Amino acid sequence: MTDRRLTALSALEQKVLWLASWTIHHANHLRDSPDGLKVGGHQASSASLATIMTALYFAVLRPEDRVAVKPHASPNFHAIQYLFGNQSRAKLENFRGYKGAQSYPSRTKDGDDVDFSTGSVGLGVAQTLFSSLVQDYVKAHGWAKSQPEGRMIALIGDAEMDEGNIYEALIEGWKHGLRNTWWVVDYNRQSLDAVIREGLWERFEAMFRNFGWDVVILKYGKLQEAAFAEPGGERLRTWIDTCPNQLFSALCFQGGAAWRKRLTDDIGDQGAVSRLIDKRSDDELARLMTNLGGHDLPSLVEAFERIDHDRPVCFIAYTIKGFGLPLQGHKDNHAGLMTPGQMDKLRGAMNVRAGHEWDRFEGLALAPDELERFLGKVPFARKGPRRLTAPKIPVPETLALPAQAAMSTQQGFGLILNEIARSDTPLADRIVTTSPDVTVSTNLGAFVNRRGLFARETLADTFKQERIPSTFNWDFSPKGQHIELGIAEMNLFIMLSALGLSHSIHGERLLPVGTLYDPFIQRGLDALNYACYQDARFMLVATPSGVTLAPEGGAHQSIATPLIGIAQDGLAAFEPAFVDELATIMRFGFDYMQRDGGDDPDEANWLRDETGGSLYLRLSTRTIEQPQRAMTAELTRDIVNGAYWMRRPGPNCQVVIAYTGTVAPEAIAAAGLLAESHRDVGVLAITSADRLNAGWTAAERARQRGVGNAMSHIERLIAPLSRECGFVTVIDGHPATLAWIGSVHGHRLKSLGVEHFGQTGTIGDLYRHFGIDTNAILHAAQAVISGRPVRYLAALP
Ligand SMILES: Cc1ncc(C[n+]2csc(CCOP(=O)(O)OP(=O)(O)O)c2C)c(N)n1
Ligand SMILES: [Mg+2]
């Protein structure tokens, strides 16, 4: 590296460390913080990565590269963007404040070009891997020709490597021939609570090599390398190599005199090495001992630039947590904060005048115009903001509906996708399906038969070649449109997150459809939440669900997922009962996924209909009779908004049965029986408790803020009912999903659903057991109707 480059990079490294520290200090001590909350976890963690991030952002990265930054290094990231002119002083001053720079880099909430959000450790790491696989997918399909291949880079805390989802991703990456992925482990040997186990790097090294990764260990800086070449240097190296993590950290904290004492005690009577130690001042000795690979700009830049292949690389970079700050190395430093006195000292050491703390080039050895020129030439920033866009893929007015008298929604899903797969449309070409080893059992088989599996290299189905009859054609090719995953559900969600950001990261729109068994949403829930937080766009199809899967296994029954569907931000949840509803919802979904999420949703469109989002369809394997009806514009709109009258209540309606999903036959049968004793019974088909509920709360908030005429879909639907009318709700899921409807206009309501799971049996057995069958609905109706008794009641089990 030339001297000029090194001088500029060193100046910027100093500035990153300063600005990040000042940002945190400002948030803690200089901003009004009535709740007294302090910024913990950032100071030491950021300092640990300051050199590595300087090397990457100011020297190594290219505009097409994408980075997931360790959550607590977000002050470094914002400081770097500030130096590039992409982040404002106001946002830095308001770090962690309302609409200020975010604690953890956020794609959706930060405005300074964050590539991947981080926060829940481990997820951003895996996201880089899947994003690289998606880049391969896009390239293999002949798209994004003008966009150079980027490297997907994760900056990882060493304790973050404890997260299991990283290893699940590693396996998946190996299966798919992962390329262009760099993981840089900030090996500071400290976590939140403690100093980590000895020798962990050896396990990491062996494991990564095992999975075909190149491993680069950055242990010593240039100063150390030079000292090792001096007489006695080898002895010093051996001492460093065998020094326990705890002791090394403690000495880093204590500084030069402590290093001298310890080294002299341990190896100081050995001639040459004594001279090596003695000829250095305390400061020089401390600088030498803390000159680890991860804090040495020339070593880092060289190591990164030496990579001349596209195989994945793991860099294990030795660092010191809190490097360059008075809390460096202390085992309690995770939440450590610098005192105003310490900050003054740092300010002095960095030549920053009071009142000039935010000046970009204050106190640096290099002239501002020279640094400005250097920054102007930094490759990473040459193209400006790096977010890409992609046009919308047209979605036909309607999706072809399978014509079968009786079907399950799961079966219908497979048939609808099959029809799309047969069509020669951009919609069909841009759909990419993926599933964690449940492709066939969630009915994706027909789509995969037509559109093939994706792999960078063609691989024919041996069974087909051998002419062994099989329902499924398992051919892999670069043009395939199904990405087969192993069982790990976390991988499904992070894959959907990566596929669902393709328009923004790779400049090519994909319409991802992922399937899994409904209960296993809970296995991957944090990753699903992460995908939503990043505003990735996908259609999640979960089937089978509830206790309706009956004999298939009590362990697989899902109860909580309808509530997840309501509560998960960024995800519009639907649970259709009939396949024509499903086709309507999927049609809406492919459009909704592509709507522009640029703005925050406001009170008027709380349903995010303008901003769009992802979808969750909870489907079932239960075959039920399909209604023969025309899909009118009104019905379409109501299905999308969350509910419609399956049987419109008359003027004397005393009871409404509101159902969701696969219990439709029970609800309709109960209404039929009730009609014999009670007039005008209504049946409300709820296709989305989520959207219905969101609309209601949004309208209420709007009214509270003065929009007097705001009215939601559910309010409008039930407005004609008298206050005396009772409600029975029923769902194969937690009864709280629909219970809130009683509060909309103050109706008496009984909510039926499932609260315990694990029992197997036929659907009839289980509906009776859990009290969601026709008889249970009649009992509940009896409880909410005043007056005449309900006929046909049998005893409940
Ligand atoms: C899934 C998850 N669990 C726990 C946390 C809380 N947490 C944040 S950072 C951290 C320790 C991180 O240690 P390391 O990855 O080594 O980074 P360092 O602090 O050394 O920079 C923990 C436990 C989190 N952010 N995400
Ligand atoms: Mg650490």
mmCIF file of all heavy atoms in Angstrom, residues 682-714:
data_model
loop_
_atom_site.group_PDB
_atom_site.id
_atom_site.type_symbol
_atom_site.label_atom_id
_atom_site.label_comp_id
_atom_site.label_asym_id
_atom_site.label_seq_id
_atom_site.Cartn_x
_atom_site.Cartn_y
_atom_site.Cartn_z
ATOM 1 N N GLY A 682 -77.292 -14.792 10.471
ATOM 2 C CA GLY A 682 -76.240 -14.365 9.536
ATOM 3 C C GLY A 682 -75.016 -15.252 9.644
ATOM 4 O O GLY A 682 -74.705 -15.779 10.722
ATOM 5 N N VAL A 683 -74.330 -15.442 8.522
ATOM 6 C CA VAL A 683 -73.055 -16.169 8.538
ATOM 7 C C VAL A 683 -71.995 -15.256 7.931
ATOM 8 O O VAL A 683 -72.095 -14.862 6.764
ATOM 9 C CB VAL A 683 -73.134 -17.500 7.757
ATOM 10 C CG1 VAL A 683 -71.780 -18.203 7.772
ATOM 11 C CG2 VAL A 683 -74.209 -18.401 8.344
ATOM 12 N N LEU A 684 -71.038 -14.930 8.730
ATOM 13 C CA LEU A 684 -69.980 -14.031 8.284
ATOM 14 C C LEU A 684 -68.717 -14.843 7.983
ATOM 15 O O LEU A 684 -68.177 -15.510 8.877
ATOM 16 C CB LEU A 684 -69.679 -12.993 9.378
ATOM 17 C CG LEU A 684 -68.721 -11.870 8.996
ATOM 18 C CD1 LEU A 684 -69.286 -11.002 7.865
ATOM 19 C CD2 LEU A 684 -68.404 -10.995 10.217
ATOM 20 N N ALA A 685 -68.283 -14.789 6.724
ATOM 21 C CA ALA A 685 -67.070 -15.503 6.310
ATOM 22 C C ALA A 685 -65.892 -14.546 6.484
ATOM 23 O O ALA A 685 -65.846 -13.500 5.845
ATOM 24 C CB ALA A 685 -67.191 -15.932 4.859
ATOM 25 N N ILE A 686 -64.975 -14.927 7.351
ATOM 26 C CA ILE A 686 -63.832 -14.039 7.607
ATOM 27 C C ILE A 686 -62.596 -14.620 6.917
ATOM 28 O O ILE A 686 -62.094 -15.684 7.299
ATOM 29 C CB ILE A 686 -63.613 -13.867 9.120
ATOM 30 C CG1 ILE A 686 -64.841 -13.167 9.707
ATOM 31 C CG2 ILE A 686 -62.341 -13.059 9.399
ATOM 32 C CD1 ILE A 686 -64.792 -12.936 11.191
ATOM 33 N N THR A 687 -62.145 -13.932 5.929
ATOM 34 C CA THR A 687 -60.990 -14.411 5.157
ATOM 35 C C THR A 687 -59.683 -13.892 5.718
ATOM 36 O O THR A 687 -58.623 -14.445 5.462
ATOM 37 C CB THR A 687 -61.123 -13.965 3.694
ATOM 38 O OG1 THR A 687 -61.483 -12.571 3.688
ATOM 39 C CG2 THR A 687 -62.165 -14.779 2.958
ATOM 40 N N SER A 688 -59.747 -12.788 6.468
ATOM 41 C CA SER A 688 -58.533 -12.260 7.075
ATOM 42 C C SER A 688 -58.867 -11.537 8.368
ATOM 43 O O SER A 688 -59.263 -10.367 8.368
ATOM 44 C CB SER A 688 -57.812 -11.290 6.122
ATOM 45 O OG SER A 688 -56.745 -10.664 6.815
ATOM 46 N N ALA A 689 -58.713 -12.242 9.483
ATOM 47 C CA ALA A 689 -58.909 -11.602 10.788
ATOM 48 C C ALA A 689 -57.906 -10.467 10.946
ATOM 49 O O ALA A 689 -58.186 -9.444 11.569
ATOM 50 C CB ALA A 689 -58.724 -12.632 11.898
ATOM 51 N N ASP A 690 -56.761 -10.659 10.340
ATOM 52 C CA ASP A 690 -55.679 -9.674 10.434
ATOM 53 C C ASP A 690 -56.077 -8.334 9.820
ATOM 54 O O ASP A 690 -56.042 -7.286 10.464
ATOM 55 C CB ASP A 690 -54.450 -10.262 9.711
ATOM 56 C CG ASP A 690 -53.285 -9.289 9.645
ATOM 57 O OD1 ASP A 690 -53.192 -8.422 10.525
ATOM 58 O OD2 ASP A 690 -52.467 -9.420 8.719
ATOM 59 N N ARG A 691 -56.501 -8.368 8.578
ATOM 60 C CA ARG A 691 -56.831 -7.113 7.898
ATOM 61 C C ARG A 691 -58.108 -6.498 8.469
ATOM 62 O O ARG A 691 -58.243 -5.287 8.551
ATOM 63 C CB ARG A 691 -56.932 -7.338 6.385
ATOM 64 C CG ARG A 691 -55.546 -7.484 5.751
ATOM 65 C CD ARG A 691 -55.608 -7.950 4.325
ATOM 66 N NE ARG A 691 -56.300 -7.051 3.430
ATOM 67 C CZ ARG A 691 -55.751 -5.964 2.865
ATOM 68 N NH1 ARG A 691 -54.497 -5.634 3.115
ATOM 69 N NH2 ARG A 691 -56.451 -5.216 2.050
ATOM 70 N N LEU A 692 -59.015 -7.369 8.870
ATOM 71 C CA LEU A 692 -60.258 -6.867 9.452
ATOM 72 C C LEU A 692 -59.957 -6.102 10.744
ATOM 73 O O LEU A 692 -60.465 -5.004 10.977
ATOM 74 C CB LEU A 692 -61.144 -8.082 9.761
ATOM 75 C CG LEU A 692 -62.644 -7.924 9.641
ATOM 76 C CD1 LEU A 692 -63.053 -7.349 8.305
ATOM 77 C CD2 LEU A 692 -63.308 -9.288 9.860
ATOM 78 N N ASN A 693 -59.096 -6.702 11.548
ATOM 79 C CA ASN A 693 -58.732 -6.087 12.820
ATOM 80 C C ASN A 693 -57.912 -4.805 12.603
ATOM 81 O O ASN A 693 -58.149 -3.782 13.258
ATOM 82 C CB ASN A 693 -57.911 -7.107 13.636
ATOM 83 C CG ASN A 693 -57.489 -6.548 14.964
ATOM 84 O OD1 ASN A 693 -56.442 -5.928 15.082
ATOM 85 N ND2 ASN A 693 -58.319 -6.748 15.976
ATOM 86 N N ALA A 694 -56.981 -4.863 11.668
ATOM 87 C CA ALA A 694 -56.125 -3.693 11.413
ATOM 88 C C ALA A 694 -56.968 -2.520 10.924
ATOM 89 O O ALA A 694 -56.749 -1.370 11.323
ATOM 90 C CB ALA A 694 -55.050 -4.040 10.398
ATOM 91 N N GLY A 695 -57.952 -2.811 10.077
ATOM 92 C CA GLY A 695 -58.822 -1.751 9.575
ATOM 93 C C GLY A 695 -59.617 -1.112 10.704
ATOM 94 O O GLY A 695 -59.780 0.105 10.768
ATOM 95 N N TRP A 696 -60.081 -1.950 11.607
ATOM 96 C CA TRP A 696 -60.890 -1.454 12.734
ATOM 97 C C TRP A 696 -60.062 -0.529 13.624
ATOM 98 O O TRP A 696 -60.475 0.581 13.958
ATOM 99 C CB TRP A 696 -61.418 -2.652 13.534
ATOM 100 C CG TRP A 696 -62.160 -2.278 14.768
ATOM 101 C CD1 TRP A 696 -63.152 -1.344 14.870
ATOM 102 C CD2 TRP A 696 -61.961 -2.818 16.078
ATOM 103 N NE1 TRP A 696 -63.593 -1.274 16.178
ATOM 104 C CE2 TRP A 696 -62.879 -2.168 16.935
ATOM 105 C CE3 TRP A 696 -61.121 -3.799 16.596
ATOM 106 C CZ2 TRP A 696 -62.960 -2.471 18.291
ATOM 107 C CZ3 TRP A 696 -61.207 -4.101 17.938
ATOM 108 C CH2 TRP A 696 -62.120 -3.440 18.774
ATOM 109 N N THR A 697 -58.872 -0.987 14.011
ATOM 110 C CA THR A 697 -58.048 -0.141 14.888
ATOM 111 C C THR A 697 -57.616 1.125 14.155
ATOM 112 O O THR A 697 -57.548 2.196 14.762
ATOM 113 C CB THR A 697 -56.803 -0.894 15.415
ATOM 114 O OG1 THR A 697 -56.218 -1.588 14.330
ATOM 115 C CG2 THR A 697 -57.147 -1.861 16.499
ATOM 116 N N ALA A 698 -57.372 1.025 12.870
ATOM 117 C CA ALA A 698 -56.948 2.217 12.113
ATOM 118 C C ALA A 698 -58.078 3.239 12.070
ATOM 119 O O ALA A 698 -57.854 4.439 12.267
ATOM 120 C CB ALA A 698 -56.540 1.827 10.701
ATOM 121 N N ALA A 699 -59.299 2.748 11.829
ATOM 122 C CA ALA A 699 -60.433 3.674 11.760
ATOM 123 C C ALA A 699 -60.649 4.336 13.117
ATOM 124 O O ALA A 699 -60.931 5.530 13.208
ATOM 125 C CB ALA A 699 -61.689 2.925 11.325
ATOM 126 N N GLU A 700 -60.507 3.549 14.173
ATOM 127 C CA GLU A 700 -60.697 4.101 15.510
ATOM 128 C C GLU A 700 -59.673 5.205 15.801
ATOM 129 O O GLU A 700 -60.002 6.273 16.299
ATOM 130 C CB GLU A 700 -60.591 2.962 16.544
ATOM 131 C CG GLU A 700 -60.884 3.366 17.974
ATOM 132 C CD GLU A 700 -62.222 4.089 18.142
ATOM 133 O OE1 GLU A 700 -63.197 3.712 17.465
ATOM 134 O OE2 GLU A 700 -62.279 5.052 18.938
ATOM 135 N N ARG A 701 -58.435 4.919 15.432
ATOM 136 C CA ARG A 701 -57.380 5.934 15.641
ATOM 137 C C ARG A 701 -57.672 7.181 14.816
ATOM 138 O O ARG A 701 -57.490 8.302 15.286
ATOM 139 C CB ARG A 701 -56.011 5.373 15.259
ATOM 140 C CG ARG A 701 -55.442 4.439 16.302
ATOM 141 C CD ARG A 701 -54.306 3.620 15.711
ATOM 142 N NE ARG A 701 -53.198 4.465 15.299
ATOM 143 C CZ ARG A 701 -52.104 4.679 16.036
ATOM 144 N NH1 ARG A 701 -51.995 4.097 17.203
ATOM 145 N NH2 ARG A 701 -51.129 5.439 15.597
ATOM 146 N N ALA A 702 -58.134 6.952 13.601
ATOM 147 C CA ALA A 702 -58.431 8.111 12.739
ATOM 148 C C ALA A 702 -59.527 8.962 13.370
ATOM 149 O O ALA A 702 -59.439 10.190 13.389
ATOM 150 C CB ALA A 702 -58.842 7.622 11.349
ATOM 151 N N ARG A 703 -60.526 8.310 13.907
ATOM 152 C CA ARG A 703 -61.621 9.067 14.538
ATOM 153 C C ARG A 703 -61.106 9.841 15.744
ATOM 154 O O ARG A 703 -61.461 10.996 15.951
ATOM 155 C CB ARG A 703 -62.751 8.121 14.950
ATOM 156 C CG ARG A 703 -63.564 7.605 13.762
ATOM 157 C CD ARG A 703 -64.846 6.937 14.226
ATOM 158 N NE ARG A 703 -64.592 5.694 14.939
ATOM 159 C CZ ARG A 703 -64.560 4.486 14.376
ATOM 160 N NH1 ARG A 703 -64.753 4.358 13.069
ATOM 161 N NH2 ARG A 703 -64.344 3.405 15.099
ATOM 162 N N GLN A 704 -60.236 9.177 16.514
ATOM 163 C CA GLN A 704 -59.687 9.868 17.687
ATOM 164 C C GLN A 704 -58.907 11.106 17.271
ATOM 165 O O GLN A 704 -58.744 12.038 18.037
ATOM 166 C CB GLN A 704 -58.791 8.923 18.489
ATOM 167 C CG GLN A 704 -59.591 7.893 19.260
ATOM 168 C CD GLN A 704 -58.714 6.841 19.919
ATOM 169 O OE1 GLN A 704 -57.502 6.954 19.924
ATOM 170 N NE2 GLN A 704 -59.333 5.811 20.444
ATOM 171 N N ARG A 705 -58.395 11.061 16.058
ATOM 172 C CA ARG A 705 -57.635 12.213 15.588
ATOM 173 C C ARG A 705 -58.473 13.148 14.724
ATOM 174 O O ARG A 705 -57.933 13.927 13.946
ATOM 175 C CB ARG A 705 -56.416 11.724 14.813
ATOM 176 C CG ARG A 705 -55.435 11.116 15.769
ATOM 177 C CD ARG A 705 -54.337 10.345 15.145
ATOM 178 N NE ARG A 705 -53.680 9.585 16.202
ATOM 179 C CZ ARG A 705 -52.449 9.155 16.170
ATOM 180 N NH1 ARG A 705 -51.722 9.386 15.102
ATOM 181 N NH2 ARG A 705 -51.942 8.487 17.173
ATOM 182 N N GLY A 706 -59.761 12.986 14.812
ATOM 183 C CA GLY A 706 -60.627 13.983 14.205
ATOM 184 C C GLY A 706 -61.211 13.632 12.852
ATOM 185 O O GLY A 706 -61.960 14.422 12.284
ATOM 186 N N VAL A 707 -60.887 12.446 12.308
ATOM 187 C CA VAL A 707 -61.484 12.062 11.029
ATOM 188 C C VAL A 707 -62.809 11.367 11.356
ATOM 189 O O VAL A 707 -62.885 10.137 11.429
ATOM 190 C CB VAL A 707 -60.549 11.117 10.227
ATOM 191 C CG1 VAL A 707 -61.091 10.882 8.816
ATOM 192 C CG2 VAL A 707 -59.146 11.670 10.173
ATOM 193 N N GLY A 708 -63.820 12.159 11.560
ATOM 194 C CA GLY A 708 -65.072 11.655 12.104
ATOM 195 C C GLY A 708 -65.732 10.578 11.271
ATOM 196 O O GLY A 708 -66.392 9.683 11.804
ATOM 197 N N ASN A 709 -65.561 10.627 9.961
ATOM 198 C CA ASN A 709 -66.280 9.681 9.103
ATOM 199 C C ASN A 709 -65.494 8.408 8.807
ATOM 200 O O ASN A 709 -65.896 7.598 7.990
ATOM 201 C CB ASN A 709 -66.696 10.367 7.793
ATOM 202 C CG ASN A 709 -65.482 10.869 7.048
ATOM 203 O OD1 ASN A 709 -64.369 10.798 7.570
ATOM 204 N ND2 ASN A 709 -65.693 11.372 5.838
ATOM 205 N N ALA A 710 -64.354 8.226 9.446
ATOM 206 C CA ALA A 710 -63.567 7.004 9.183
ATOM 207 C C ALA A 710 -64.384 5.792 9.625
ATOM 208 O O ALA A 710 -64.945 5.764 10.719
ATOM 209 C CB ALA A 710 -62.252 7.058 9.954
ATOM 210 N N MET A 711 -64.454 4.803 8.775
ATOM 211 C CA MET A 711 -65.203 3.594 9.129
ATOM 212 C C MET A 711 -64.536 2.383 8.489
ATOM 213 O O MET A 711 -64.186 2.403 7.317
ATOM 214 C CB MET A 711 -66.648 3.693 8.659
ATOM 215 C CG MET A 711 -67.467 2.530 9.196
ATOM 216 S SD MET A 711 -69.155 2.540 8.614
ATOM 217 C CE MET A 711 -69.954 3.358 9.940
ATOM 218 N N SER A 712 -64.359 1.363 9.272
ATOM 219 C CA SER A 712 -63.647 0.195 8.764
ATOM 220 C C SER A 712 -64.625 -0.811 8.157
ATOM 221 O O SER A 712 -65.837 -0.700 8.309
ATOM 222 C CB SER A 712 -62.871 -0.457 9.898
ATOM 223 O OG SER A 712 -63.782 -0.920 10.869
ATOM 224 N N HIS A 713 -64.024 -1.807 7.509
ATOM 225 C CA HIS A 713 -64.831 -2.819 6.824
ATOM 226 C C HIS A 713 -65.729 -3.580 7.799
ATOM 227 O O HIS A 713 -66.923 -3.754 7.544
ATOM 228 C CB HIS A 713 -63.886 -3.763 6.094
ATOM 229 C CG HIS A 713 -64.583 -4.750 5.213
ATOM 230 N ND1 HIS A 713 -65.499 -4.382 4.257
ATOM 231 C CD2 HIS A 713 -64.513 -6.110 5.171
ATOM 232 C CE1 HIS A 713 -65.951 -5.472 3.644
ATOM 233 N NE2 HIS A 713 -65.374 -6.531 4.183
ATOM 234 N N ILE A 714 -65.199 -4.002 8.926
ATOM 235 C CA ILE A 714 -66.011 -4.784 9.864
ATOM 236 C C ILE A 714 -67.132 -3.924 10.431
ATOM 237 O O ILE A 714 -68.269 -4.390 10.603
ATOM 238 C CB ILE A 714 -65.142 -5.420 10.999
ATOM 239 C CG1 ILE A 714 -65.985 -6.299 11.938
ATOM 240 C CG2 ILE A 714 -64.421 -4.384 11.834
ATOM 241 C CD1 ILE A 714 -66.487 -7.569 11.321
#
